[in-house]
């Protein structure tokens, strides 16, 4: 039976079963749960709410999680004083004592960051210094932005780089801060910031994420099998909650690294009911920045064959390295958020803008010499050669959201959201060449302009109804208008590819979470989306199951279907600037992508340790690749160099097993993870046999260790991964053309038939915390990236020299030290 019918039938059965059992179970009726504790979980120092905090009555089946705004509802039937354990990653656990006769309608629970002294109404239960919590659900990981500072970094702490250290997320993608999650590509990740979609997530060609950690409060990573409220992507979800700002007092902060400077300001207003947060970050052209910029252009190369500086030994006899270039590049990002709270409502306005610019224009030296063309020898011709290259790029993302959250009563909560997002990318590259040979002067003008613009306007209204401690209903509706334009033009007039597509997505979802027999948690869900480009309704059944035989062991499983309507297409070339573009699915060249997830897992957890294993399988259908190839048309003086563009469709599978061992508490924390995986693609254009995807990494080992002693903190990370696959020329031959010229051709291997050398590196860091510095708190840190200077290969380049293939390794970063300093008033 097809998965669509099977999954839909299972969902109907589980919906009926859970509803029937709940309605017939007297111990689960609302009237029997007369004791209801409602309230909010906050940061004790800043007054900010703490989303998704965990609350549990130890020794009982009663527990809950706070929602995205920190509100919670905890039902129980215990007539005496109860002890509530409250946990939030990066904060000391707390025990709260509450008696049913307490008159307070709303309980305000304040947690302190790990290591701080708790106030008198809370008792410290356990200090947890970890930055990652992997036990909150199925394939779900919570990340603490406050604790990633101890990790080694390239310049400053980075949320997305930190996620690459997590199990199931590719850790050897050093040249990109994008996430390769369980065989998926970065465009298959749904990235949300305060509810709006972010389509561009990095700066400086992928070295750093586009999010300032000073603006982030909470990060939830769903590696697969995610719930019905999320959609539009095939692989994973990164749900980022921005900081609201300090509601207790004014606060400012600043930071400086070898790469950028950043600052933040937090201002309470309306007697603590409101808060305002503003952060700003900008790079500056330091030697460290230039080093990364040169690397992103593939400047770090090792040639596997001997090369001579003699021009006669260069490809085509040419002189190399005569172009003079001084790239001018910078990036910035801005965040602003205003929040206002009443007893039942939360209003927030969140804005983001991030942008990169690069001017890599350059000119050759005007040179004149005797010899053959380009110095090849063999003649007495005088030759003067001049080349001017215009190369300017800009790209980034602007987004914002307006949210209204309301707690209608103790069991009903809603979030209404209006959001907008714009991704923009523009590159203008032109070449003006002048060749003077004796009295003959030839001028050649060529170039391309690439412009990609994506606009996203969305409305959604999410509801959560919790009638009793054993049943939660989630439902909502959404609408998204997409307008995506892409133009790739040659010589200002000749279009290579030009598209301007509009589409509208309209749909809703329904999900039920039921706790049966105090040990079994069933979460069936259904998402439905209508896409006007194809005039089809896409049904996405989802189902999660968790079985908890005791408080330490959890068995888990998930299955689901996922569709993707906007796709980022990767171009074949590896030139700097814009290397990819977003495009909307249609009924012709770019079909709607589809993925089916299947996940099975087991967790064993104590207060100090977590052991977790998850196995996954994903079937991918209608994934798209794009290529542009140079084509010679005509002969002699009438020869022109044109482009040929193609969209290719294929299918794929991704499967693997993740093993995780984590130490969660104490001075020494960290984890060891190992992933065994396989990602295969099948494209008819490449032949009948499946081939490894370009990001396929069968083996990956990660070790993360964090140690704190007094005001000192130390961090170390080690990554080992199988080398990525690649396609290489096996031989070369020369074809003589009718006009007397010749051209070189490669005979290439099968698609991705070879692999690069295995990847590994060790990073270390040390930080010192100043408890009192200029009236505030400060941290200074040193990181050593790639401590033992491993020559990891990024990709390979090939040239034909006198009929011989010359192979060049383009290496990733070697040993790279960096320092940073951060200060906050509070």
């Amino acid at each position: 039976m097809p998965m669509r019918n099977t999954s839909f039938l299972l969902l109907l059965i589980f919906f009926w079963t859970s509803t029937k059992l709940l309605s017939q179970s007297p111990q689960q009726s609302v009237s029997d749960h007369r004791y209801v504790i409602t309230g909010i979980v906050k940061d004790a120092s800043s007054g900010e709410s703490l989303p998704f905090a965990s609350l549990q009555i130890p020794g009982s089946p009663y527990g809950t999680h706070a929602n995205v705004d920190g509100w919670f509802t905890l039902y129980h039937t215990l007539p005496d004083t109860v002890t509530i354990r409250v946990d939030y990653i990066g904060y000391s656990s707390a025990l709260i004592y509450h008696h049913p006769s307490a008159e307070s309608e709303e309980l305000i629970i304040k947690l302190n960051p790990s290591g701080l002294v708790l106030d008198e109404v809370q008792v410290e239960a356990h200090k947890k210094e970890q930055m990652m919590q992997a036990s909150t659900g199925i394939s779900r990981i919570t990340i603490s932005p406050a604790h990633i500072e101890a990790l080694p970094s390239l310049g400053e702490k980075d949320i997305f780089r930190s996620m690459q250290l997590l199990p199931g997320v590719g850790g050897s993608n050093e040249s990109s801060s994008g996430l390769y999650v369980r065989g998926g590509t970065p465009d298959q990740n749904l990235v949300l910031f305060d509810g709006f979609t972010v389509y561009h997530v990095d700066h400086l060609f992928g070295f750093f994420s586009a999010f300032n950690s000073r603006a982030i409060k909470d990060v939830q990573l769903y590696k697969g099998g995610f719930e019905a409220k999320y959609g539009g992507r095939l692989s994973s979800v990164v749900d980022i909650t921005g900081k609201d700002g300090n509601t207790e007092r004014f606060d400012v902060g600043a930071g400086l690294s070898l790469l950028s400077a950043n600052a933040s300001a937090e201002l309470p207003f309306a007697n603590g009911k409101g808060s305002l947060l503003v952060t700003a970050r900008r790079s500056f052209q330091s030697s460290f920045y230039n080093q990364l910029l040169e690397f992103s252009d593939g400047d770090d190369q090792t040639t596997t064959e001997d090369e001579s500086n003699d021009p006669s030994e260069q490809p085509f006899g040419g002189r190399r390295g005569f172009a003079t270039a001084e790239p001018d590049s910078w990036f910035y990002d801005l965040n602003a958020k205003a929040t206002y709270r009443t007893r039942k409502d939360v209003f927030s306005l969140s804005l983001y803008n991030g942008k990169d610019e690069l001017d890599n224009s350059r000119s050759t030296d005007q040179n004149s010499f005797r010899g053959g063309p380009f110095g090849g020898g063999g003649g007495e011709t005088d030759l003067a050669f001049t080349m001017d290259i215009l190369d300017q790029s800009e790209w980034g993302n602007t987004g914002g959201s307006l949210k209204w959250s309301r707690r209608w009563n103790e069991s009903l909560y809603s979030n209404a959201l209006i959001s907008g997002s714009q991704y923009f990318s523009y590159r203008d590259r032109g070449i003006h060449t002048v060749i003077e040979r004796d009295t003959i002067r030839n001028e050649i003008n060529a170039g391309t302009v690439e412009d990609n613009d994506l606009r996203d306007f969305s409305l959604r209204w999410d509801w959560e109804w919790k009638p009793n401690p054993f049943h939660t209903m989630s439902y909502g509706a959404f609408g998204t208008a997409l307008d995506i334009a892409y133009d790739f033009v040659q010589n200002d007039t000749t279009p290579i590819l030009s598209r301007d597509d509009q589409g509208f997505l309209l749909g809703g979802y329904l999900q039920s979470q039921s706790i049966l027999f105090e040990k079994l948690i069933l979460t069936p869900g259904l998402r439905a989306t209508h896409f006007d480009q194809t005039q089809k309704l896409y049904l996405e059944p989802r189902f999660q199951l968790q079985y908890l035989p005791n408080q330490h062991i959890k068995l888990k499983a998930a299955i689901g279907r996922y569709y993707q309507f906007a796709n980022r297409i990767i171009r074949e070339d590896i030139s700097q600037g814009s290397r990819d573009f977003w495009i909307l699915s249609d009924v012709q060249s770019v079909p709607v992508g589809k993925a089916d997830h299947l996940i099975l897992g087991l967790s064993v957890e104590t207060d100090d340790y977590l052991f977790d294993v998850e196995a996954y399988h994903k079937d991918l259908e209608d994934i798209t690749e794009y290529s542009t190839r140079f084509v010679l048309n005509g002969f002699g003086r009438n020869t022109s160099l044109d482009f040929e563009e193609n969209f290719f469709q294929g299918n794929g599978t991704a499967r693997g097993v993740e093993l995780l061992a984590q130490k969660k508490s104490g001075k020494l924390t960290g984890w060891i993870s190992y992933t065994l995986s396989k990602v295969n693609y099948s494209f008819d254009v490449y032949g009948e046999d499946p081939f490894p995807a370009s990001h396929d990494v069968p083996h990956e080992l990660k070790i993360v260790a964090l140690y704190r002693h007094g005001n000192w903190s130390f961090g170390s990370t080690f990554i080992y991964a199988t080398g990525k696959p690649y396609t290489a020329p096996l031989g070369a031959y020369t074809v003589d053309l009718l006009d007397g010229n010749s051209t070189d051709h490669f005979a290439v291997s099968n698609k991705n038939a070879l692999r690069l050398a295995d990847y590994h590196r060790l990073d270390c860091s040390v930080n010192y915390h100043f408890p009192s510095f200029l009236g505030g708190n400060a941290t200074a840190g040193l990181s050593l990236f790639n401590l033992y200077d491993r020559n990891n290969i990024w990709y390979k380049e090939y040239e034909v020299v006198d009929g011989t293939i010359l192979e060049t390794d383009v290496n990733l970063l070697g040993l790279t030290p960096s320092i940073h300093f951060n200060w906050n008033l509070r």
Side-chain angles (χ1 to χ4, degrees):
M1 183 182 294
M3 180 185 173
R4 177 188 297 270
N5 297 332
T6 303
S7 300
F8 192 65
L9 179 60
L10 285 173
L11 285 170
L12 289 177
I13 293 173
F14 280 117
F15 264 121
W16 178 85
T17 302
S18 60
T19 303
K20 194 72 173 176
L21 285 172
L22 288 172
S23 64
Q24 292 180 352
S25 300
Q27 78 274 15
Q28 293 179 347
S29 67
V30 179
S31 61
D32 284 340
H33 292 95
R34 297 187 180 278
Y35 305 119
V36 182
I37 303 173
T38 63
I40 189 170
V41 184
K42 291 186 175 184
D43 183 306
S45 58
S46 69
E48 284 210 54
S49 62
L50 299 180
F52 312 114
S54 172
L55 299 95
Q56 181 72 39
I57 299 177
S60 79
Y62 304 114
T64 189
H65 283 86
N67 66 12
V68 68
D69 294 306
W71 293 104
F72 68 89
T73 298
L74 178 61
Y75 291 92
H76 70 94
T77 59
L78 306 175
D80 300 320
T81 299
V82 296
T83 300
I84 307 171
R85 174 167 173 157
V86 188
D87 291 286
Y88 189 72
I89 186 170
Y91 286 72
S92 295
S93 300
L95 298 178
I96 307 299
Y97 304 102
H98 186 271
H99 193 274
S101 62
E103 296 181 357
S104 174
E105 296 184 5
E106 177 182 297
L107 184 62
I108 299 177
I109 300 175
K110 295 184 178 181
L111 300 183
N112 286 273
S114 299
L116 297 183
V117 179
L118 296 170
D119 60 43
E120 61 183 14
V121 300
Q122 300 178 3
V123 178
E124 181 178 346
H126 217 65
K127 289 184 179 180
K128 294 186 178 181
E129 302 286 351
Q130 84 254 38
M131 56 147 282
M132 180 267 287
Q133 182 178 351
S135 59
T136 54
I138 301 174
S139 300
R140 177 179 175 183
I141 294 180
T142 302
I143 301 166
S144 170
H147 279 65
I148 66 172
E149 191 171 44
L151 291 172
S153 61
L154 277 171
E156 56 188 69
K157 59 183 182 179
D158 190 316
I159 292 293
F160 271 65
R161 285 292 183 184
S162 300
M163 282 192 278
Q164 292 182 351
L165 298 172
L166 303 178
V169 183
S172 59
N173 303 292
E174 184 181 313
S175 60
S176 172
S177 63
L179 303 181
Y180 292 82
V181 182
R182 291 183 172 175
T185 53
D187 71 298
Q188 294 173 1
N189 307 317
L190 175 63
V191 180
L192 300 172
F193 190 100
D194 281 339
F196 64 86
T197 304
V198 182
Y199 291 87
H200 188 77
V201 299
D202 53 42
H203 287 309
L204 192 59
F205 308 107
F207 276 104
F208 302 93
S209 75
F211 302 108
N212 190 339
S213 61
R214 289 178 173 271
I216 298 175
K217 177 167 56 176
D218 181 87
V219 180
Q220 302 287 321
L221 171 64
Y222 302 83
K223 296 185 292 181
F226 41 92
E227 299 177 355
K229 70 176 180 178
Y230 297 111
R233 294 295 186 274
L234 300 182
S235 181
S236 66
V237 176
V238 181
D239 196 347
I240 303 173
T241 304
K243 292 181 65 176
D244 299 328
N246 199 313
T247 62
E248 304 292 325
R249 59 187 69 86
F250 174 71
D251 193 12
V252 293
L256 184 67
S257 70
L258 296 179
L259 177 75
S260 65
N262 67 74
S264 63
E266 302 176 49
L267 176 69
F269 62 88
N271 296 320
K273 292 182 178 180
S275 59
L276 176 66
L277 169 76
V278 178
T279 70
R281 179 172 59 166
R282 194 188 192 283
S283 67
F284 51 86
Q285 200 90 11
S286 63
S287 58
F288 180 69
Y289 187 97
N290 290 337
Q291 177 187 356
L292 298 182
L293 185 62
E294 290 175 2
F295 163 73
S296 67
D297 193 21
D299 189 60
D300 187 8
Q301 300 181 358
T302 302
T303 305
T304 57
E305 298 285 341
D306 290 335
E307 280 190 276
S308 170
N309 289 324
D310 185 342
S312 64
E313 297 298 324
Q314 299 293 345
F316 310 110
R319 297 185 175 184
R320 310 186 75 182
F322 55 80
T324 60
E326 194 67 37
D328 180 21
S329 175
W330 55 270
F331 67 77
Y332 76 84
D333 52 64
L334 300 169
N335 285 88
K337 187 174 183 180
T339 305
Y340 182 79
R341 292 178 178 269
T342 68
R343 183 170 170 270
K344 289 184 174 291
D345 301 284
V346 180
F347 302 91
S348 64
L349 173 64
S350 180
L351 302 172
Y352 167 79
N353 177 236
K355 184 179 180 180
D356 284 66
E357 285 200 7
L358 169 68
D359 187 348
N360 197 27
S361 302
R362 53 200 183 271
S363 300
T364 66
D365 295 325
Q366 181 91 26
N367 59 79
S368 180
F369 50 88
R370 298 179 64 83
F374 305 101
E380 297 299 325
T381 303
D382 288 326
L383 174 68
F385 176 84
T386 302
M387 179 183 291
D388 295 316
I389 299 176
L390 171 69
D391 193 355
Q392 296 177 331
S393 304
E394 63 178 26
W395 61 96
N397 208 110
T398 299
S401 64
L402 178 63
K403 187 180 76 168
W404 168 45
S405 302
R406 181 171 178 82
R407 186 166 59 107
W408 299 89
N409 54 49
E410 61 191 21
S411 61
L412 185 62
Y413 199 86
S414 70
N415 275 301
L417 184 81
I418 302 174
S419 68
S421 184
Q422 181 192 12
Y423 165 74
F424 52 91
S425 174
Y426 180 82
R427 186 184 188 191
D428 187 356
R429 192 172 192 274
I431 302 175
H432 176 71
T433 306
V434 177
I435 302 176
E436 293 182 296
R437 182 177 298 152
D438 294 331
T439 60
I440 301 175
R441 175 185 174 90
N442 291 321
E443 292 191 33
I444 303 173
N445 290 297
T448 58
V449 174
E450 186 177 15
D451 189 8
N452 193 196
D453 187 81
L454 182 155
R455 297 174 186 269
D456 172 330
F457 180 76
S458 299
L459 298 171
R460 63 180 301 127
W461 203 349
D462 301 303
W463 292 78
E464 182 178 290
W465 178 44
K466 187 173 184 179
N468 58 59
F470 301 100
H471 195 198
T472 302
M473 293 290 294
S474 301
Y475 48 93
F478 59 87
T480 298
L482 290 169
D483 186 349
I484 307 179
Y486 179 70
D487 292 291
F488 193 11
V489 180
Q490 179 185 11
N491 297 332
D492 297 329
T493 57
T494 306
I496 301 170
L497 178 63
S498 181
R499 292 178 62 121
D500 188 0
D501 300 315
Q502 293 82 37
F504 187 70
L505 301 168
L506 181 65
Y509 69 92
L510 176 65
Q511 179 174 288
S512 171
Q513 184 178 85
S514 302
I515 302 175
L516 305 180
F517 317 114
E518 300 181 355
K519 293 183 178 182
L520 182 64
I521 304 175
L522 304 180
T523 311
L526 179 65
R527 184 183 180 90
T529 305
H530 181 267
F531 184 37
D532 68 343
Q533 279 278 331
T534 59
Q535 290 298 312
K536 290 183 180 180
L537 181 66
Y538 297 86
L539 296 178
E540 301 173 80
R542 318 270 176 90
F543 178 71
Q544 293 186 0
L545 179 149
Q546 299 179 71
Y547 178 65
L548 294 78
N550 57 52
Q551 60 180 343
H552 299 298
I553 298 176
K554 179 195 296 183
L555 298 170
K556 46 192 176 179
I559 189 171
R561 170 156 291 177
Y562 304 87
Y563 289 100
Q564 182 159 336
F565 306 94
N567 306 273
R568 192 185 71 168
I569 305 299
I570 306 299
R571 295 229 318 265
E572 280 188 333
D573 62 311
I574 316 177
S575 61
Q576 63 186 3
S578 176
R579 289 177 265 178
D580 52 76
F581 59 93
W582 283 91
I583 198 169
L584 192 64
S585 294
D586 56 24
V587 294
Q588 298 175 341
S589 56
V590 184
V592 175
K594 181 174 69 173
D596 290 328
H597 294 196
L598 175 62
I599 301 167
L600 299 172
L602 168 67
S603 293
V604 179
E605 183 175 19
T606 67
D607 284 340
D608 297 317
Y609 297 95
L610 168 69
F611 300 94
D612 185 84
V613 57
E614 284 195 356
Y616 64 89
H617 180 93
K618 288 198 290 190
D619 287 318
L620 303 167
E621 293 184 23
D622 293 326
I623 51 180
T624 302
E625 288 190 357
Y626 173 78
S627 70
T628 53
R629 304 177 187 275
F630 291 103
V631 179
L632 281 173
N633 291 321
F635 300 99
R637 294 182 179 273
N638 296 321
T639 301
S640 64
L641 188 63
D642 297 324
F643 286 93
E644 181 183 82
E645 56 91 7
N646 296 281
F647 287 99
F648 304 133
Q649 284 77 46
N651 302 319
T653 59
R655 58 186 183 273
V657 179
E658 300 167 5
L659 303 175
L660 171 68
Q662 182 188 9
K663 186 175 184 297
K664 304 188 298 178
S665 62
K667 289 187 175 182
L668 175 65
T669 59
W671 62 88
I672 299 174
S673 72
Y674 168 73
T675 302
L676 173 66
S677 63
K678 187 66 178 175
V679 188
N680 277 339
Y681 281 172
S682 296
F683 282 76
D684 291 340
V685 69
Y686 300 128
E688 296 181 357
D689 297 328
F691 58 89
S694 299
H695 54 283
D696 174 55
V697 178
H699 303 278
E700 188 168 73
L701 172 70
K702 302 172 191 174
I703 303 175
V704 178
L706 303 172
Y707 181 77
R708 182 182 292 274
H709 179 74
N711 291 330
W712 292 92
S713 62
F714 304 87
S716 180
T717 61
F718 175 77
I719 299 173
Y720 176 88
T722 307
K724 290 185 173 64
Y726 69 100
T727 306
L730 302 178
Y733 58 94
T734 300
V735 176
D736 294 326
L737 302 178
L738 296 179
D739 60 356
N741 294 318
S742 62
T743 181
D744 295 308
H745 289 266
F746 293 115
V748 300
S749 67
N750 291 333
K751 178 73 171 178
N752 289 342
L754 305 176
R755 284 194 180 270
L756 300 174
D758 289 352
Y759 177 100
H760 53 88
R761 78 168 198 267
L762 174 68
D763 306 334
C764 296
S765 67
V766 57
N767 292 271
Y768 184 79
H769 308 273
F770 300 89
S772 179
F773 185 86
L774 297 179
N777 299 303
T779 302
L782 166 68
S783 289
L784 297 175
F785 182 88
N786 196 355
L787 184 64
Y788 52 83
D789 200 26
R790 163 73 174 178
N791 282 331
N792 290 305
I793 300 174
W794 185 7
Y795 61 91
K796 292 177 178 285
E797 291 183 340
Y798 300 92
E799 296 175 292
V800 178
V801 180
D802 295 331
T804 300
I805 298 176
L806 187 68
E807 178 183 287
T808 302
D809 292 337
V810 181
N811 295 325
L812 292 162
L813 283 175
L815 172 63
T816 307
S818 63
I819 58 175
H820 69 269
F821 179 82
N822 289 294
W823 173 85
N824 274 86
L825 178 61
R826 303 292 180 184

